[in-house]
Amino acid sequence: MKSFKIEKKKTLNLQVYEVLKYMILNDEFKDEIKLNEVQIAAMLDVSPTPVREAFRMLAADGIVEIIPWKGVFIKKYTIDEVEEAYQCREVLETLAVKLCINIIPRTEIDRLLNLLKEKHDSVDERIKVSNEIHNVIIEYSHNKRLKNLITQLNDILIYDRRLSAYDGLRGKQIDQEHKLILKALKEKNENAAISYMKEHIQNGFKYIKENHN
């Protein structure tokens, strides 16, 4: 288990959330699916209240599912379910690239490229930058149905993006893949931008497949 020490600079809710997130994504609960609020509180030497709040935050991330009257469960997806999500994502996000390439402002692309140059130490910061890049491309596709369809995949995609973000080497690869996509968009090279987006998504699934429990 990751060592837990109360930090004055962070709220207790946030600290419990970060520890549980780390444990879940690093498979420290092993074959446990249902999370016990009382046991976790005792393990971390805190009251049940911050654990309950941490569960809500994890549910918002798509990492756990809170089922009324039944409990809190770690979300588990089969590799077939993940593959289906990535197949859909590839089609939708390459379409977003095609739709946005003549609309997205160069200033917006430069802003995203500058974001990639900044140092991002925490997993949450790296995920935030990654999400920002994909969200901007989707927004400038100006296609609400496309956006809604991608949102429906988020439960699976958010969980697995977090898994990738804990790997420093994969994180650097993701940054490079994003840079190639953005530079192709800036040059309005549609074929290259689509190709880079496809490769990026396929590499993402390949990593998940190799590391799926």
Side-chain angles (χ1 to χ4, degrees):
M1 173 192 153
K2 187 180 179 182
S3 59
F4 181 71
K5 184 178 179 181
I6 294 176
E7 299 177 30
K8 293 182 179 179
K9 293 182 180 179
K10 294 181 180 179
T11 65
L12 191 55
N13 294 352
L14 180 59
Q15 291 178 68
V16 173
Y17 157 75
E18 289 178 345
V19 170
L20 289 179
K21 179 177 68 176
Y22 178 90
M23 292 178 69
I24 293 169
L25 295 182
N26 285 274
D27 202 31
E28 292 193 19
F29 286 101
K30 301 301 179 184
D31 295 327
E32 293 179 52
I33 301 297
K34 185 175 181 179
L35 298 178
N36 186 296
E37 180 183 299
V38 175
Q39 287 179 358
I40 290 172
M43 178 179 68
L44 298 179
D45 194 22
V46 298
S47 73
T49 302
V51 176
R52 202 173 302 124
E53 290 302 316
F55 285 164
R56 292 194 184 100
M57 295 165 75
L58 290 166
D61 285 343
I63 294 175
V64 305
E65 184 175 14
I66 301 173
I67 302 176
W69 314 114
K70 291 186 178 180
V72 179
F73 299 83
I74 297 173
K75 280 201 172 184
K76 295 286 186 180
Y77 298 98
T78 68
I79 195 61
D80 288 340
E81 288 174 318
V82 176
E83 184 173 19
E84 286 176 357
Y86 270 79
Q87 287 170 343
C88 293
R89 181 188 173 197
E90 182 179 325
V91 172
L92 293 168
E93 293 212 41
T94 51
L95 175 58
V97 165
K98 186 174 182 180
L99 293 173
C100 85
I101 197 162
N102 292 313
I103 301 171
I104 186 169
R106 289 172 65 91
T107 53
E108 190 71 344
I109 297 172
D110 286 336
R111 181 181 70 82
L112 295 174
L113 286 168
N114 286 331
L115 273 180
L116 286 173
K117 292 177 184 177
E118 296 175 6
K119 187 177 180 182
H120 303 287
D121 294 321
S122 74
V123 170
D124 283 335
E125 287 174 347
R126 293 198 293 272
I127 292 168
K128 186 177 179 180
V129 171
S130 180
N131 287 344
E132 176 76 358
I133 291 168
H134 286 276
N135 289 341
V136 167
I137 290 171
I138 292 163
E139 282 294 335
Y140 278 99
S141 73
H142 290 178
N143 188 313
K144 291 181 181 178
R145 289 189 182 274
L146 185 153
K147 182 180 178 181
N148 289 338
L149 288 168
I150 290 179
T151 300
Q152 291 173 31
L153 303 174
N154 274 348
D155 276 359
I156 295 178
L157 298 181
I158 289 174
Y159 181 98
D160 289 311
R161 275 182 187 170
R162 288 186 173 275
L163 182 63
S164 300
Y166 272 97
D167 186 322
L169 177 59
R170 177 59 192 146
K172 290 179 181 178
Q173 292 170 345
I174 289 170
D175 284 348
Q176 183 59 30
E177 289 164 9
H178 283 153
K179 192 179 297 182
L180 290 172
I181 293 166
L182 291 171
K183 286 185 174 179
L185 284 172
K186 189 174 180 178
E187 295 165 1
K188 297 194 184 300
N189 187 334
E190 183 177 311
N191 289 335
I194 288 173
S195 177
Y196 289 138
M197 180 62 84
K198 281 185 177 180
E199 185 177 5
H200 169 58
I201 293 170
Q202 289 168 2
N203 286 344
F205 174 67
K206 182 180 177 182
Y207 177 85
I208 296 303
K209 189 174 182 180
E210 290 171 352
N211 293 275
H212 193 271
N213 294 312

